[in-house]
Amino acid sequence: MEMRRNAIVELINKNETVSFSQIKEAFPQVSEMTLRTDLKLLDNAKRIVRIHGGAKSVQMVIGTDDYLSKRSVRNIPEKQFIAEKALSLLRPDTTIFIDSGSTTTMLAHQFPDQSNLIYTTGLSCATELASLSRPTVILPGGRLNRYSQSVYGISAVKELERVNFNQTFLGVTSYHKMTGFTCGSNDEAVLKQTAIRQSEQTIVLIDSSKIGEKSTFNICSLAEVDIVVSDGKLSEDFLEDCRRFHVEVL
């Protein structure tokens, strides 16, 4: 039974999205009732995500490299360092977009109590900002990603398209010279691209462990970014690329 369920997870992860008929075809000796029970239990264990007519891989739904709850306890000193440096870029009385993610949540945690209009798609970011009295914080409407604790989808995109941001603080899953900045969800990539288009200044928060890695969906190229804020451990190759595209590095 465990081997079968592991095989189901492997099939779903390989294809990202599968229909129930594809699962039945892959396991012809197993009854429909048993397969549906398998999917229910795997969904409860957060190993896959059940959808109408089939299932998706958790990685595709999360849109990042892991659950937010797991990412938030990794590389904490680096994230604090990045957030502290990003604070120096903040200007009062401006309109800001703060992306979802563990590093941007750290930025929200340290955000000063000053007058700003802040849009964020991160529920954890909004929770951190809720303790402040002076900023106005807005969560755009959309679908809830319970894994990354964020809002996404066409409703969120449409709302962001109506706003002109002075600064966008962007979280990313990875960066590679061949692909630029990437993430694991097409929906999140579209949302991030919208925030970039609507912003005067795009600031990427990224720790050095994500450099040289690739995820599935492109967000933007290095040339579309104004500032990269990192942990001080960036490779010389990446720093050279930043100089070539006139991207400031903090």
Side-chain angles (χ1 to χ4, degrees), residues 39-52:
L39 292 179
K40 180 179 180 180
L41 292 173
L42 289 170
D43 180 73
N44 289 340
K46 295 184 177 179
R47 297 182 65 190
I48 59 103
V49 178
R50 284 196 301 169
I51 59 173
H52 180 69

Side-chain angles (χ1 to χ4, degrees), residues 87-125:
L87 289 175
S88 67
L89 301 171
L90 295 173
R91 304 190 300 269
D93 302 313
T94 57
T95 302
I96 295 170
F97 174 76
I98 299 181
D99 197 8
S100 62
S102 55
T103 307
T104 50
T105 299
M106 188 70 74
L107 172 63
H109 176 70
Q110 300 184 35
F111 204 95
D113 196 4
Q114 66 183 31
S115 176
N116 287 105
L117 176 59
I118 305 172
Y119 279 75
T120 182
T121 50
L123 273 64
S124 55
C125 294

Side-chain angles (χ1 to χ4, degrees), residues 98 189 197 234:
I98 299 181
R197 285 196 306 272
L234 295 170

Side-chain angles (χ1 to χ4, degrees), residues 103-241:
T103 307
T104 50
T105 299
M106 188 70 74
L107 172 63
H109 176 70
Q110 300 184 35
F111 204 95
D113 196 4
Q114 66 183 31
S115 176
N116 287 105
L117 176 59
I118 305 172
Y119 279 75
T120 182
T121 50
L123 273 64
S124 55
C125 294
T127 300
E128 295 290 348
L129 295 167
S131 63
L132 306 177
S133 60
R134 300 189 67 191
T136 298
V137 181
I138 297 176
L139 273 165
R143 297 181 62 185
L144 172 64
N145 185 330
R146 67 183 186 272
Y147 297 94
S148 61
Q149 297 180 32
S150 63
V151 176
Y152 71 101
I154 189 62
S155 297
V157 169
K158 290 295 184 184
E159 188 163 347
L160 294 187
E161 286 177 339
R162 298 197 297 267
V163 186
N164 296 313
F165 300 107
N166 297 103
Q167 293 176 306
T168 281
F169 290 88
L170 201 68
V172 299
T173 301
S174 52
Y175 173 85
H176 193 281
K177 181 177 290 193
M178 300 299 294
T179 59
F181 295 102
T182 54
C183 66
S185 165
N186 187 49
D187 288 321
E188 284 200 7
V190 171
L191 192 147
K192 294 172 193 287
Q193 290 163 357
T194 302
I196 291 170
R197 285 196 306 272
Q198 296 299 115
S199 187
E200 295 175 6
Q201 185 181 61
T202 298
I203 302 157
V204 171
L205 310 184
I206 184 171
D207 70 74
S208 55
S209 67
K210 297 178 179 180
I211 304 298
E213 302 294 325
K214 294 179 184 178
S215 294
T216 306
F217 297 99
N218 293 334
I219 300 170
C220 66
S221 67
L222 186 59
E224 297 172 85
V225 168
D226 298 293
I227 301 174
V228 169
V229 184
S230 192
D231 53 14
K233 303 174 185 177
L234 295 170
S235 68
E236 185 55 38
D237 284 347
F238 180 76
L239 292 173
E240 178 58 35
D241 287 342

